[in-house]
Amino acid sequence: MDESRIEQFRKMAEADPENELGHLSLGRALVEAKRCAEAVPPLRKALALNPNNSRGYQLLAAALKETGEKSEALAVLRKGFEVAHARGDLMPRNEIAAMLRELGEEPPAVTAGGAPPAPAAAAGSGQIVCKRCGRTQPRMAARPFKGPLGEQVWAGICQPCWTEWIHMGTKVINELRLNFAIPKHAEIYDQHLREFLNLEQPAG
């Protein structure tokens, strides 16, 4: 992660202190740059703004682990495991479980087959339990765009949260000067979309 990209994320976070994605992206970039002590404050802020973001707990725990704060990293991982399991975020949950084991603690037992518990308000016909807000909501009338990611959004994101992303996505495009004619820029946009909507990142 080059310094210019870190500074872009820093400006995004500073320009809008309530921009959860700006803080999360800055923290992630600093972790990737091995600047973990610097990553802790923005990741804490991102989780304060959205305590349901499983990936945020994973990143914060990784930063704390690298700075030698093992007990605090374990506390963050325990909370992250609880959130990820309750929300059905299986990939982050499994990665958090692996980090717990790496730090010498066995993760909590899960239900048979590793399936998450049923949501408090189970979705009925034409409804979804939104991956971002956790509420049971009507499914969007139509897929927001084509392809596997569009299908993932349609299957797991409510209309109010999608509308929120449209506003946030515009900020991402403007702040990072993304050009969709460049494949790497399209990947960056998709990554931010997944992080904001709390969708699982693709494997690898």
Side-chain angles (χ1 to χ4, degrees):
M1 181 69 66
D2 60 65
E3 185 63 32
S4 64
R5 184 52 54 82
I6 290 173
E7 287 311 308
Q8 284 178 314
F9 292 142
R10 197 185 303 281
K11 286 177 184 174
M12 189 189 299
E14 290 173 352
D16 180 4
E18 300 305 302
N19 182 342
E20 162 207 336
L21 186 61
H23 296 290
L24 185 69
S25 298
L26 174 59
R28 177 174 48 77
L30 288 166
V31 168
E32 289 175 359
K34 310 298 184 189
R35 292 160 59 177
C36 291
E38 290 178 67
V40 170
L43 290 171
R44 286 195 195 283
K45 178 66 174 177
L47 284 171
L49 291 167
N50 180 12
N52 290 324
N53 194 308
S54 308
R55 189 68 64 184
Y57 290 100
Q58 185 184 351
L59 287 166
L60 176 57
L64 289 166
K65 173 180 167 244
E66 290 303 315
T67 57
E69 302 290 339
K70 179 181 175 181
S71 61
E72 197 170 353
L74 282 167
V76 169
L77 287 169
R78 291 184 202 111
K79 179 63 178 176
F81 186 95
E82 177 187 320
V83 169
H85 183 61
R87 293 174 58 83
D89 299 336
L90 299 186
M91 191 180 295
R93 188 198 73 184
N94 292 341
E95 290 172 2
I96 288 170
M99 288 180 70
L100 279 166
R101 290 190 183 98
E102 190 180 333
L103 291 175
E105 183 171 310
E106 197 59 28
V110 298
T111 53
S125 178
Q127 294 182 316
I128 52 101
V129 177
C130 180
K131 285 286 191 179
R132 175 165 168 80
C133 68
R135 294 192 295 267
T136 300
Q137 298 271 39
R139 188 188 295 273
M140 282 191 273
R143 290 165 181 75
F145 54 93
K146 295 179 181 178
L149 182 53
E151 183 70 26
Q152 197 178 357
V153 170
W154 187 65
I157 301 299
C158 67
Q159 184 63 60
C161 287
W162 177 248
T163 301
E164 224 184 313
W165 166 251
I166 296 300
H167 174 70
M168 185 61 68
T170 301
K171 285 187 177 183
V172 168
I173 292 166
N174 292 338
E175 292 286 344
L176 303 184
R177 301 182 182 89
L178 299 182
N179 176 355
F180 289 116
I182 301 172
K184 182 64 177 173
H185 285 203
E187 289 175 18
I188 289 169
Y189 178 86
D190 287 354
Q191 181 181 42
H192 281 80
L193 181 153
R194 286 188 175 94
E195 286 184 346
F196 184 79
L197 296 176
N198 208 24
L199 298 173
E200 291 187 354
Q201 299 288 343

